[in-house]
Amino acid sequence: NAGVMQNPRHLVRRRGQEARLRCSPMKGHSHVYWYRQLPEEGLKFMVYLQKENIIDESGMPKERFSAEFPKEGPSILRIQQVVRGDSAAYFCASSPMRGSSYNSPLHFGNGTRLTVT
Amino acid sequence: AQTVTQSQPEMSVQEAETVTLSCTYDTSESDYYLFWYKQPPSRQMILVIRQEAYKQQNATENRFSVNFQKAAKSFSLKISDSQLGDAAMYFCAYRTNRDDKIIFGKGTRLHILP
């Protein structure tokens, strides 16, 4: 049973370009979370999605950032017109259906390190 | 607002010794879950141990155990017989029944001295 898969592992973008980060949840998991980790910091919640629905996006910056989790395919975190401050590690995590998930730990991917030059 | 505080940015322990990492949290909820995650240099987030708030008994997983003090809102992690592979960042985390997101502390970097 493959774990949470994120790609790419490393992504370099110049200022003003777009970054697209992909996440495939564990098999059987229908809930996806995105977290951002700045250097020497903990993980900060960004957004929580289930297929075709955004459940909680309270941690997402209002501009340039968007996330989706389509019926088919991976979840995508999209950052438009990247700036140097967007440089961070972005982690995806997944969990099973909501009703059984409260005491379930999140299963994390290995993260995508975004570097904006 | 719920917060998780780890007051020790870094700690060191001699191999084979015991170390305790501190964590406190702030919440008005009565039903919640607490976790410790380990992040080695590979960056992977690995669950170490978890505790349900309604359980009085402290969770243990082999060399890892917690001291859960609900009234004091404290959730410390004890690592016994420390090994070189335990060197990592350790994050304390919190989750409620009402809200699906997990809140993380800023982490404690643990060094193991040979």
Side-chain angles (χ1 to χ4, degrees):
Chain A
N1 189 9
V4 178
M5 304 299 292
Q6 285 188 253
N7 67 82
R9 185 102 164 105
H10 301 277
L11 181 62
V12 179
R13 284 289 178 266
R14 284 198 292 271
R15 276 182 299 171
Q17 291 185 317
E18 178 180 286
R20 289 169 72 86
L21 287 61
R22 293 175 184 77
C23 169
S24 296
M26 281 184 72
K27 189 176 179 180
H29 285 191
S30 56
H31 293 239
V32 164
Y33 303 73
W34 285 95
Y35 283 80
R36 175 163 62 178
Q37 185 179 31
L38 295 170
E40 303 304 317
E41 296 263 333
L43 278 69
K44 291 280 172 56
F45 169 80
M46 297 182 76
V47 63
Y48 162 43
L49 313 101
Q50 65 179 118
K51 284 207 181 276
E52 299 184 285
N53 261 325
I54 295 176
I55 307 298
D56 182 347
E57 56 181 348
S58 58
M60 284 276 272
K62 294 286 182 259
E63 296 175 352
R64 302 189 297 108
F65 285 72
S66 62
E68 63 176 9
F69 188 17
K71 190 176 179 182
E72 302 290 338
S75 175
I76 306 287
L77 179 68
R78 183 177 174 214
I79 311 172
Q80 294 178 289
Q81 298 174 322
V82 296
V83 301
R84 287 223 171 99
D86 297 333
S87 295
Y90 291 83
F91 286 87
C92 171
S94 71
S95 72
M97 285 180 63
R98 190 172 195 176
S100 62
S101 70
Y102 293 123
N103 68 339
S104 298
L106 298 185
H107 297 265
F108 282 87
N110 286 344
T112 293
R113 184 175 295 284
L114 172 66
T115 302
V116 180
T117 60
Chain B
Q2 296 130 0
T3 58
V4 177
T5 303
Q6 294 180 249
S7 58
Q8 305 148 316
E10 283 194 70
M11 291 194 73
S12 297
V13 63
Q14 209 74 37
E15 196 177 359
E17 296 294 308
T18 295
V19 63
T20 299
L21 280 57
S22 302
C23 173
T24 58
Y25 56 94
D26 187 21
T27 183
S28 56
E29 303 286 332
S30 59
D31 197 9
Y32 51 87
Y33 303 90
L34 297 161
F35 307 90
W36 278 97
Y37 279 88
K38 169 185 177 181
Q39 187 180 43
S42 66
R43 234 173 45 213
Q44 186 183 5
M45 291 290 286
I46 302 165
L47 178 69
V48 174
I49 199 164
R50 61 179 156 174
Q51 173 84 42
E52 290 91 341
Y54 63 84
K55 287 188 178 177
Q56 290 188 334
Q57 187 172 8
N58 289 324
T60 63
E61 287 287 341
N62 301 313
R63 297 183 296 107
F64 299 87
S65 61
V66 298
N67 182 6
F68 173 46
Q69 303 285 332
K70 191 171 184 179
K73 295 180 183 173
S74 169
F75 183 60
S76 59
L77 174 69
K78 184 170 90 171
I79 306 174
S80 304
D81 186 26
S82 298
Q83 300 175 358
L84 293 177
D86 295 334
M89 281 289 284
Y90 285 81
F91 294 100
C92 179
Y94 161 97
R95 182 183 199 180
T96 71
N97 261 350
R98 202 164 49 83
D99 192 321
D100 283 297
K101 58 180 179 269
I102 290 186
I103 309 294
F104 286 86
K106 289 195 171 184
T108 296
R109 184 174 299 282
L110 179 64
H111 303 276
I112 309 295
L113 306 173

